[in-house]
Amino acid sequence: MPVKHIKEQAMINRSSIRLSKADYNQLSILKAQNSSFQVQTIAENLHVPWAVDISEDGRLFFTERRGNLRVIEDEILNPVPLYTFGPPFVSMGEGGLMGLALDRNFLSNGYIYLMYTYEENGALYSRVVRMRIQDNAVPEEEIILDHIPAGQVHNGGRIKIGPDGYLYITTGDAGKRDLAQDINSLAGKILRIGTDGSIPPDNPFQGSPVYALGLRNPQGLAWNNSGVLYASDHGETAHDEINIIQPGGNYGWPLVIGDEEMQGYDFIKPVIQSGNDTWAPAGIAFITTGPRIGQLFVSTLRGSVLLAITFDESGTQVVNVEQLLEVLYGRLREAYQARDGSIYLTTSNLDGRGLPSPGNDRILRL
């Protein structure tokens, strides 16, 4: 289902806009009014904040791609990172410290899960680690999934704990497109493992963490109230996708894009794709409360808008798409819904592809 909302020329014009601090504040008020949101800056002067999760006691944990794990407590940003990754960790291109998820029992066990890229023998890989945040002790890494192919581009990087208690991980094709169709490779996939690194016995491929394949650069995961799993994926030239993930499903990359079909193959088509426009969708959040209940919020990088996608009752057919917060905040990376219904977004204007305005990068609360 192609949706042509974001015109290429409009994106070119937007990319040339530079705002003063006064202009930014005034536009922020206007955009908030027009979108029926109150927009609050929670933190600013950050460097590519990538992922957010909030503990039951209200602490907001987030990653910066350069390698910092940071925390905001009582709405105050701690100026000192909780932890900064060192070698073999590397941050280059689209790699670095990316996904973050707090354990369901975080307040009692202190476990946090993180995904980052590192270098080994001249090659780039990603890994998922478990760390314990407890008192003032320095966290130690426990590797639970390793040697995921990585590269200067297409590293995926999102990790979430699903309704079933398992850890879901998105991986890109690392710039080596054929890996997405290789069932023996961890690249270009949705992976599913236990929080201790074990392989769930009901995974679709026996003994493998692979849950779905044929993806190019997925950066968002979210479940609706019925357990439908959505994932965002970057197309090669436009044709960005929102997919409904099925166990063992093959989404076709690099053999097909968007709504294309290929004789002899049963690839799963996206529930919606961008057609000839470019969204570059990143973090996604399914809204479970408030006036926008039932919508999927999609942060977009190149598109620089927050998409609000409305589904039918089954959650499998798109009935409407809105553009929210257009232009003002630049590239949007994360979309996260807190327990109180607030939506948190992160900007990604210092990632080498944006035009920073004063105070970038930021964490915003709607």
Side-chain angles (χ1 to χ4, degrees):
M1 175 181 176
V3 176
K4 297 186 177 181
H5 287 294
I6 305 170
K7 298 300 183 184
E8 187 71 21
Q9 186 60 46
M11 287 191 294
I12 293 171
N13 291 339
R14 286 206 301 267
S15 69
S16 66
I17 294 173
R18 293 181 181 274
L19 301 176
S20 69
K21 187 72 171 180
D23 290 338
Y24 174 88
N25 290 336
Q26 182 62 30
L27 281 173
S28 181
I29 293 170
L30 292 173
K31 283 290 183 179
Q33 291 172 344
N34 292 339
S35 299
S36 301
F37 288 123
Q38 293 180 350
V39 183
Q40 178 184 5
T41 297
I42 299 301
E44 58 184 357
N45 297 313
L46 308 175
H47 194 274
V48 194
W50 212 97
V52 166
D53 203 353
I54 300 177
S55 61
E56 288 185 272
D57 59 3
R59 286 176 288 169
L60 187 152
F61 295 84
F62 69 96
T63 56
E64 289 180 302
R65 201 165 67 181
R66 62 173 43 168
N68 295 324
L69 171 63
R70 306 191 67 181
V71 65
I72 297 171
E73 192 167 2
D74 297 325
E75 299 192 359
I76 298 173
L77 172 65
N78 190 329
V80 180
L82 283 173
Y83 188 78
T84 298
F85 287 85
F89 166 86
V90 292
S91 177
M92 60 175 66
E94 295 176 3
L97 181 57
M98 298 173 291
L100 171 157
L102 299 178
D103 193 272
R104 287 182 170 182
N105 298 311
F106 174 76
L107 292 187
S108 58
N109 63 26
Y111 282 138
I112 187 171
Y113 306 90
L114 299 153
M115 183 174 178
Y116 67 82
T117 54
Y118 68 98
E119 188 172 14
E120 181 178 283
N121 298 323
L124 292 178
Y125 299 96
S126 292
R127 62 171 47 138
V128 178
V129 299
R130 181 169 69 176
M131 304 175 73
R132 176 170 285 171
I133 307 298
Q134 207 165 35
D135 300 325
N136 295 318
V138 177
E140 294 184 1
E141 298 180 46
E142 177 189 357
I143 299 171
I144 59 175
L145 186 63
D146 207 357
H147 287 103
I148 301 167
Q152 294 276 357
V153 295
H154 305 173
N155 295 307
R158 189 69 58 189
I159 56 178
K160 291 285 184 72
I161 296 178
D164 55 10
Y166 288 117
L167 197 63
Y168 290 74
I169 303 147
T170 73
T171 68
D173 67 10
K176 304 176 181 66
R177 55 174 58 200
D178 291 341
L179 294 181
Q181 289 295 323
D182 183 353
I183 195 64
N184 296 311
S185 172
L186 300 182
K189 309 293 192 298
I190 305 293
L191 309 177
R192 179 179 183 246
I193 61 174
T195 54
D196 59 356
S198 60
I199 306 298
D202 61 345
N203 268 12
F205 305 102
Q206 188 66 34
S208 171
V210 173
Y211 191 72
L213 67 153
L215 299 159
R216 183 173 180 266
N217 189 24
Q219 289 190 22
L221 291 171
W223 289 260
N224 73 4
N225 291 332
S226 300
V228 174
L229 172 57
Y230 305 97
S232 62
D233 194 16
H234 290 213
E236 182 177 26
T237 51
H239 298 285
D240 298 312
E241 300 178 355
I242 302 298
N243 290 293
I244 293 177
I245 301 302
Q246 301 176 14
N250 189 331
Y251 295 83
W253 174 255
L255 301 177
V256 298
I257 61 173
D259 288 333
E260 290 180 348
E261 296 180 349
M262 188 171 184
Q263 189 172 0
Y265 291 85
D266 189 22
F267 297 131
I268 300 173
K269 292 183 180 182
V271 66
I272 187 172
Q273 55 109 357
S274 66
N276 293 324
D277 296 322
T278 300
W279 295 338
I284 63 178
F286 190 85
I287 308 306
T288 59
T289 186
R292 292 188 174 271
I293 188 170
Q295 293 184 331
L296 186 72
F297 276 17
V298 181
S299 286
T300 68
L301 295 161
R302 175 71 180 273
S304 296
V305 298
L306 180 67
L307 299 177
I309 301 175
T310 303
F311 296 91
D312 65 1
E313 290 186 4
S314 72
T316 60
Q317 297 291 326
V318 173
V319 297
N320 190 43
V321 180
E322 297 175 72
Q323 292 183 100
L324 308 175
L325 307 179
E326 186 176 4
V327 179
L328 180 61
Y329 300 106
R331 294 165 63 81
L332 301 178
R333 175 77 62 176
E334 170 71 297
Y336 175 92
Q337 181 185 242
R339 289 174 178 83
D340 66 359
S342 299
I343 308 301
Y344 289 79
L345 308 176
T346 69
T347 69
S348 197
N349 294 313
L350 295 174
D351 64 2
R353 296 178 178 175
L355 289 174
S357 59
N360 268 298
D361 275 319
R362 298 180 174 86
I363 297 177
L364 306 170
R365 179 167 64 196
L366 312 186

